[in-house]
Amino acid sequence: MDDYTIVLNAGSSSLKFSIYVRREAAAWRLESRGQIEGIGTAPHFSARDGAGGRLAEERMDGSVRDGPSALDALAAWLRSRYSGARVLGVGHRVVHGGAKYAAPTVVTPEVLADLRTLIPLAPLHQPYNLAAIEAIAERLPGVPQVACFDTSFHRGQPAVAEVVPLPREVCRDGVQRYGFHGLSYEYIASVLPEMAPDLARGRAIVAHLGSGASLCAMKNRRSVDSSLGFTALDGLCMGTRPGAVDPGVILYLFQNLRLSAKDVETILYKKSGLLGISGISNDMRDLLGSTEPAARLAVDYFVYRAAKEIGALAAVLGGIDGLVFTAGIGENSAEIRKRICEASAWLGIDLEHDANERKGPRISRSGSRVSAWVIPTNEELIIARHTGMLLGLIEARA
Ligand code: ADP
């Protein structure tokens, strides 16, 4: 019988899913994927098959008001489509694995308890990731689940890259730099040998530019540093998160504006970044389409910050051989890629404009000292692979 793996990426208002199938000993293949968006407001379900053909596109009723009810709705659709299929397991994207989880892991009650302690470090994602695991455990008690972490790929970085330079006693219980978007970087690292063999062996900066945004410095496909740190607030300007800010500003919010910790958390995770600067939108498409000076400043800052951090990671790597763009903005906005490449021309990037408009994959001229690329990411495939591998091992042992 074919093996199926369900991959879930549960967020605060969306539930993304992918169904992978493995026939006999073949590789994992995408069977379908989709999402429920607007959970709690205007829920909407969409699904496509592995080739991109539309399977479903519909508004859902108000009963889809939270994560568990969204999962119930998804389960009903899956049952109608795949009744009788053998589900090997469910793989989850979990944003924070802390210091303890340096690799994907099969979820047990103990693992879940550990991961709950990390909720304050990723309040925008972790509670929803874990709620999905709990909801599946209740609904499918016999089906094993695997947690795949956005932090794991970065473990093994040099010690200096992990330092948070505060007193030792403050840092004792895991206050260190972790890095995020690791599932995306792991996917890019997995395809580099085929797509860009020279870069796979060399020094690459990968720019994951989506709602959340970060850079990863890779040497020989391994992470040596990244722009996100202890939480997913550091580094680049993001949709609603500021990226790096002077910590004195945070003190000011507490001491002078007398804001509560909850208010500061909301400002940092939901009201800053592109949305904060522009006062218009957190969506890069809206900002690129706007003539408002504040929208322009937000885009200018996004590019400025990206170029500045690319320079910093180039210093870490002692120069770079290539720059890779991925995720929503990185894959789809030729304008942002162009502006970041132009701001990074001093590194030796010579952009090929037509290739950039066509989304590459290679977007630098053949003589360019540093190559530039667009590579669509695929975090779900990485989760499916890890889930299949870990659960296959359990099966082999049983
Ligand atoms: P996430 O998975 O973190 O929600 P994505 O990687 O899907 O984020 O990226 C989402 C962002 O990508 C959107 O906020 C939007 O700003 C941006 N985006 C998508 N398409 C385009 C485009 N054609 N031009 C510019 N930005 C785009």
Side-chain angles (χ1 to χ4, degrees):
M1 191 187 268
D2 299 338
D3 285 330
Y4 284 81
T5 294
I6 300 174
V7 172
L8 295 179
N9 180 354
S12 59
S13 65
S14 72
L15 174 65
K16 296 182 183 158
F17 70 93
S18 301
I19 310 298
Y20 283 85
V21 63
R22 184 174 61 178
R23 304 225 146 85
E24 302 296 324
W28 289 101
R29 189 175 59 71
L30 180 66
E31 169 71 23
S32 61
R33 69 187 303 181
Q35 59 182 333
I36 299 177
E37 292 169 282
I39 297 171
T41 51
H44 184 268
F45 178 70
S46 58
R48 293 181 175 275
D49 64 23
R54 182 184 295 186
L55 296 175
E57 189 75 64
E58 61 202 52
R59 248 194 243 153
M60 306 180 96
D61 63 46
S63 66
V64 181
R65 63 193 171 280
D66 56 13
S69 52
L71 263 178
D72 286 334
L74 173 61
W77 185 79
L78 293 177
R79 269 195 300 273
S80 72
R81 203 176 153 74
Y82 301 104
S83 69
R86 187 175 89 136
V87 178
L88 189 66
V90 182
H92 296 262
R93 175 189 183 203
V94 177
V95 160
H96 217 309
K100 188 165 171 185
Y101 295 101
T105 186
V106 177
V107 178
T108 63
E110 187 205 347
V111 169
L112 208 47
D114 282 343
L115 298 179
R116 273 195 210 105
T117 66
L118 298 168
I119 286 176
L121 307 195
L124 210 57
H125 300 98
Q126 192 90 343
Y128 305 100
N129 303 156
L130 301 186
I133 295 177
E134 286 162 4
I136 294 280
E138 276 169 23
R139 287 159 178 76
L140 300 170
V143 175
Q145 302 192 69
V146 170
C148 300
F149 305 102
D150 270 313
T151 45
S152 300
F153 183 72
H154 302 292
R155 301 287 60 75
Q157 284 178 352
V160 285
E162 294 187 334
V163 166
V164 170
L166 294 177
R168 291 175 83 103
E169 60 274 20
V170 174
C171 295
R172 211 170 19 222
D173 290 325
V175 179
Q176 62 165 78
R177 299 186 74 251
Y178 290 102
F180 295 86
H181 295 133
L183 297 165
S184 175
Y185 294 129
E186 187 176 346
Y187 174 77
I188 300 296
S190 77
V191 297
L192 277 185
E194 200 179 314
M195 294 190 73
D198 289 346
L199 195 50
R201 288 187 293 269
R203 300 158 300 175
I205 291 178
V206 182
H208 176 107
L209 309 178
S211 308
S214 72
L215 303 177
C216 179
M218 286 184 204
K219 215 176 235 174
N220 209 0
R221 297 194 295 142
R222 302 194 54 165
S223 171
V224 294
D225 201 351
S226 59
S227 64
L228 282 170
F230 177 55
T231 66
L233 288 172
D234 204 358
L236 305 185
C237 176
M238 296 172 246
T240 58
R241 287 170 264 164
V245 278
D246 174 355
V249 174
I250 312 301
L251 276 181
Y252 171 88
L253 298 182
F254 282 118
Q255 293 172 339
N256 293 57
L257 301 190
R258 305 255 169 225
L259 297 184
S260 69
K262 201 74 209 158
D263 287 342
V264 173
E265 181 183 290
T266 303
I267 288 176
L268 292 175
Y269 280 96
K270 297 187 175 166
K271 294 187 171 175
S272 300
L274 294 176
L275 176 63
I277 301 169
S278 69
I280 294 172
S281 172
N282 62 337
D283 192 312
M284 185 58 89
R285 285 166 291 200
D286 296 339
L287 300 178
L288 287 170
S290 169
T291 52
E292 290 292 323
R296 287 204 190 154
L297 182 63
V299 177
D300 288 350
Y301 182 74
F302 183 90
V303 170
Y304 172 81
R305 188 83 220 182
K308 189 166 164 176
E309 299 271 341
I310 286 169
L313 289 188
V316 165
L317 288 165
I320 61 170
D321 301 302
L323 173 65
V324 178
F325 291 95
T326 194
I329 299 171
E331 292 168 26
N332 296 305
S333 177
E335 171 70 16
I336 295 294
R337 289 194 300 267
K338 172 169 122 10
R339 291 184 56 180
I340 292 175
C341 285
E342 284 173 355
S344 308
W346 65 277
L347 280 165
I349 299 174
D350 188 3
L351 187 70
E352 153 102 62
H353 292 275
D354 289 347
N356 184 41
E357 293 295 330
R358 289 194 309 269
K359 298 189 188 184
R362 188 181 163 124
I363 58 170
S364 52
R365 289 183 209 283
S366 55
S368 183
R369 192 151 44 82
V370 168
S371 61
W373 304 80
V374 182
I375 304 181
T377 194
N378 195 342
E379 291 147 302
E380 294 80 14
L381 179 62
I382 293 296
I383 298 172
R385 277 185 194 153
H386 283 305
T387 303
M389 207 145 66
L390 273 176
L391 299 183
L393 286 178
I394 292 177
E395 215 174 39
R397 250 186 262 129

